[in-house]
Amino acid sequence: MCGIVGYIGKRQAYPIIIKGLQRLEYRGYDSAGIALINAKGDLNVFKRKGKVTELIEFSKDLEKEGTIGIGHTRWATHGEPNDVNSHPHYSQTKNLVLIHNGIIENYSSIKEGLIKRGHQFLSQTDTEVLAHLIEDIQIHEKCKLSVAVIAALNQVIGAYAIVVMDKNDPDVLVAAKKGSPMVIGIGDDDYFIASDASPIVEYTKNVVYLEEEEVAILRRGEKLKIKNLKDKEITPYVQKLTIELESIEKGGYAHFMLKEIYEQPRSVLDSMRGRLNPAKGEIKLGGVEDHIKKFEKAKRIIFVACGTSWHAGLVAEYLFEELARIPVEVEYASEFRYRNPIIYAEDIVIAISQSGETADTLAAIAMAKSKGATVLGICNVVGSSIARATDGGSYTHAGPEIGVASTKAFTAQVTVLTLMALEMAKVRGTLSESRFRQLLYEVEAVPTKIEEVLKLNDKLKEIAYTYKDSTNALYLGRGVSFPVALEGALKLKEISYIHAEGYPAAEMKHGPIALIDEEMPVFVIATKGANYEKVVSNIQEVKARKGKIIAVVTSGDKEVKELADICIEIPETDELLVPLIAVVPLQLLSYHIAVMRGCNVDQPRNLAKSVTVE
Ligand code: G6P
C-alpha cells in the first residue's frame, strides 16, 4: 500500500527513483510524485494523478537534475487521488518534503494544533500533517532534521514508513518505519531506500531491513546511522539480498500475472524442494521443527489471513481436519482481531500471507500472541514483518509476486500447507504409513500436472472469448474444491470487473440459482472424488435452468462431459490435492477475459498488492 523510494549518492536520482516506483507500482497506482534537490540547491517537486508513466510524461521537459531525491506511488487512504493529495508533501515553509506509506491515526488533532499556530494545509492527507509537524519541531527546537523526526514520531499514533528530505541540508535523507516495510540498500558510495527490495536489487545486494520504530539517517559520505525513538543508536544488521533481477521482470510475458501463472510448476516445486522425500516417507519443514511437540498436543488450529491467502486457509481446513484430525477454524484477520475471540494457549494460530505485511494479519498475530497461543507464519516474502512477528513457520519460496491478483502465491501456500498437514498427521499418528507415502508421491507429482494444465492455454483463451462479455458468473465447488470456486470468482472479479460469486455447489439452491439463465456462465469444479455424483446433480440443476456449464473435470471424464457446455480436463490427482491443479485453468480464464476486456491485469483499479492499512 503505497510504494516509496529514496536515493542519495553520486548518480542521478531521477532515473533510479522512477524505475523503483515502477517496480513498486503494484503497491498502489492512483498517483505518483517525486522530489529532487539539484546541485544549485533547488528543490523540485513533480506530482501527478495516475500511474508512474503519467508522471514521466508530465516531467518530460522539466529539469530533473539531482543526486538526492524521494519518490512515491500512492494508494489513497485520506483524500481522493489527485495532484494535490499526491506525495511528496511539503512542510509549511516548503523546505521539507516527505513521503509516507501508512496511516497517521491522530493526524486531525495534530493538524488542529498546527493550524492554531498558523500552519496552512494544501491537501486532505494525514501525511502533510507529519511534514508540517517535523518542520515545526525543527524550527522551534533549532534541531537537526533527524532529531525533529524522532520527536515528531513520538507524537504520532498509527503506521508509517516515511522518508524526509530537507532543502537546507541536501546531504541527508531521514527514513523511519513502524508497521509499514522499509529496506535500505547500501551501495559503494550511495544509499537506496524502498518499500521492498525490488528497486534496490539492481544496484546492491547489501540491505538493512528497518525494524519497528527505527529511524535511519543516510548522510552522504558517512556510515548508515540507525536510532530508535528514544534516540538510542542501534547497530545496523546488514543482510544479503537473495532475489535476482530477472525474478522481478516480465521475462517476455505480456503481463506479470501471466508470467506468474506459468511459473507455478517451478514455484510449487520450490515450495516443496528439500522438504519432501516420498521414498523415505519423510517431510521436513525446518521452521516448524521446534514446534513439533505442540503439533502433537494442539487442540485446535486457527488460520488467519486475508484475500487469496484466506482461501488457501480454507483449503487447509479440509487438509488438516482430514489428515491430522484436528479441529480447524479459518478467520478473516480483519474480523478476528476485533472480535475478542477465544484463544487457548494450546491453540496453534497460523497466519498466511504472501507479502507478510498485511496490517490486519499482523494485528491478528499480535492478538493471538498476547493470549499465549503459538503463532506460525506462512509467508512468501523473506524477512517480512509477519515472518519476523511469528514464533516459527515456513516460507513459500514462490519468488516475487508482482501481479496484484495472487496466483503462484496461492498454489505455493497450499503446497506448504499440505506438507504441514501431512507432517502434523504423522506426528499425531492419524494416517497409515501407506496413505502417508502415497500422498507424498502425489504431492511430488503436482508440478508436472500443472505443466499439463498450462498446455490448455489456447483452449482456455477460446473459452474466455465466449464469455468475455458476461456481466455475472458463478463458481461452484464442493469439499476442498469449494475454496477453489471462491478463488476462481475472486480472480475474475478483481481483474475483469465482472461480478462473480463462489459458492458451495449444494448451497446454490438457497439463493444463487435465482440468477441462472442462458446468459450466466457457471464454472463448476467437478473432478472425480467423493462428491462427484453430488456435483453432477448440481450441474443438472443448473442445466434445467438453461445455465451455461463450464466444468473442470478429471481427464477421461464421461458423465459431466455429456452435460456440460464445455469441459476442461485436468490430470487426475488425489482428491485432497485437486485445488493445486484445478485453480490453474480458472486463473488463466480470468487472465484472458480481463485482457480481452481491455483491463489492466497487473494493476486492477482500486486494488493494491500489499494492504498495509487496516
Ligand atoms: C490484497 C492482494 C491480494 C492478497 C491479499 C492478502 O488484497 O491484492 O492478492 O491475497 O491482499 O495479502 P497477503 O500478502 O497477506 O497474502
Side-chain angles (χ1 to χ4, degrees), residues 306-309 352-358 361 386 401 404-406 413 491 494 607-611:
C306 303
T308 289
S309 298
I352 309 170
S353 174
Q354 186 286 127
S355 63
E357 302 294 345
T358 303
T361 311
I386 291 177
E401 187 180 69
V404 166
S406 187
Q413 287 164 345
K491 286 298 83 97
E494 65 186 343
L607 297 178
K609 181 87 186 144
S610 178
V611 181

